[in-house]
Amino acid sequence: MNRNREARGISFAVSVFVWSIQLAKQASSNLIEIAASDRVFVLTGAGISAESGLRTFRDSNGLWAGYQVETVATPEGWDANPELVWQFYSQRRREAKASQPNPAHCALAELEKRIGARFFLCTQNVDDLHERAGSRNLVHMHGELFRSRCEADCGAPIIEDSHSYNSLHEMPTCVCGSRLRPNIVWFGEIPMEMTRIQHEIDRCSILLVVGTSGAVHPAASFVHWAKVRRGIPARTYYVGPEEPLNAGAFTRIILGKAGEVLPQLFKTT
Ligand code: OAD
Ligand code: ZN
């Protein structure tokens, strides 16, 4: 009787031990180890701001739902109906102002503090949540929501602008008399800072992509660029609740919400 109880006790202890090893293994397999020689390139998409309450583009209730992309995010849409375009981006300005950075934005800012200039962030997002979390070494390849520029490219500087414009007579004008447009990269236009982005991809050893569906190029190709460049291919990781369209190109896919995964993700040595 006693011996049975003792045996059951031992087998329970062994199970707990095996279970904790399995848990530890799971936890460590979700770590990205960053050595002193590593350079980290991070690409983020709409998914990283989802937990801040900002809608993504391709969800069923996403940003394009209710809007046709061509009417609010192309030069042709702007020419046809600038009022509608400004209404769309004014609404996005209001939503972005009302939101706060979430733990995923903060985890990236924290990583930058730890590894300094070896960290580079490229976001497709036009909100300013990365900056508000403390990220500094970053580019907005699809432009910035809180800036406006001359539609005629007259040479006047891009201006900081957080206003809402809801009707034709409210629409802002440049010093040259042309209209001001949102400083956003629309479909058919060339993303910003591509030379710098290409340079950073060429020299990174770790490429981490967070919360983007892999549907829009060139951003969806970065994971390939980091592999086919000269020298050793980068280690490539994706974080998001579902696999992106370009999932097959990554070294590892980590399924989960950015705000839950990123704060636990990095191990710096
Ligand atoms: P999408 O809407 O295409 O994709 C959002 C991704 O975020 C999806 O893959 C989701 O699975 C993922 N996601 C959702 N919640 C998440 C969470 N909590 N944590 C992590 N991931 C999450 O948005 P993008 O891929 O960013 O361009 O779209 C790319 C570009 O298309 C945008 O920059 C925009 C759009 O057209 C322009 O406006 C020029
Ligand atoms: Zn002008």
Side-chain angles (χ1 to χ4, degrees):
M1 181 78 168
N2 271 353
R3 225 183 293 159
N4 266 350
R5 206 180 288 162
E6 207 174 286
R8 276 206 302 273
I10 290 171
S11 106
F12 176 72
V14 168
S15 319
V16 168
F17 180 66
V18 170
W19 179 64
S20 31
I21 287 182
Q22 275 167 351
L23 270 188
K25 262 194 193 159
Q26 272 173 20
S28 71
S29 71
N30 269 358
L31 280 180
I32 297 180
E33 301 206 9
I34 303 170
S37 56
D38 279 319
R39 299 193 72 93
V40 181
F41 181 106
V42 181
L43 169 70
T44 62
I48 198 167
S49 297
E51 288 156 86
S52 296
L54 298 181
R55 283 170 294 163
T56 60
F57 289 90
R58 292 172 184 81
D59 280 358
S60 51
N61 65 342
L63 272 175
W64 299 136
Y67 282 93
Q68 284 176 305
V69 182
E70 313 81 60
T71 58
V72 292
T74 62
E76 294 76 20
W78 170 252
D79 289 339
N81 192 346
E83 188 181 18
L84 180 72
V85 173
W86 264 124
Q87 283 166 353
F88 176 73
Y89 288 103
S90 295
Q91 176 61 25
R92 299 198 55 208
R93 282 181 176 179
R94 290 192 290 271
E95 288 165 0
K97 268 190 220 169
S99 68
Q100 297 300 328
N102 68 51
H105 299 103
C106 296
L108 292 178
E110 172 58 32
L111 178 60
E112 182 177 353
K113 270 199 207 116
R114 276 193 261 161
I115 68 170
R118 292 185 291 121
F119 175 91
F120 182 79
L121 174 57
C122 171
T123 185
Q124 297 169 87
N125 299 345
V126 297
D127 65 54
D128 61 350
L129 294 177
H130 282 304
E131 288 90 332
R132 280 159 58 194
S135 288
R136 292 292 168 260
N137 198 14
L138 88 159
V139 298
H140 285 268
M141 65 178 292
H142 290 165
E144 290 173 88
L145 195 51
F146 295 109
R147 288 177 169 221
S148 303
R149 70 165 195 266
C150 177
E151 65 167 350
D153 278 331
C154 72
I158 296 172
I159 59 161
E160 307 284 326
D161 183 6
S162 57
H163 289 98
S164 285
Y165 305 109
N166 295 302
S167 63
L168 266 182
H169 76 269
E170 286 177 16
M171 282 193 0
T173 47
C174 179
V175 284
C176 74
S178 303
R179 293 173 300 196
L180 285 180
R181 58 165 275 184
N183 191 34
I184 303 282
V185 176
W186 288 326
F187 287 92
E189 296 181 325
I190 297 168
M192 295 171 180
E193 308 255 19
M194 284 310 296
T195 308
R196 187 166 167 211
I197 291 168
Q198 177 76 66
H199 172 66
E200 294 294 346
I201 293 176
D202 284 347
R203 65 182 187 156
C204 77
S205 51
I206 295 174
L207 181 133
L208 166 66
V209 177
V210 184
T212 174
S213 55
V216 174
H217 291 271
S221 304
F222 291 177
V223 60
H224 300 284
W225 297 357
K227 280 163 56 177
V228 300
R229 64 185 191 182
R230 262 190 290 160
I232 303 166
R235 288 138 63 197
T236 57
Y237 302 87
Y238 179 81
V239 174
E242 61 200 1
E243 291 200 345
L245 292 175
N246 53 358
F250 288 90
T251 316
R252 188 165 3 129
I253 302 281
I254 301 167
L255 290 180
K257 290 182 174 180
E260 291 167 10
V261 174
L262 262 58
Q264 260 64 258
L265 190 60
F266 309 113
K267 183 172 174 226
T268 49
T269 50

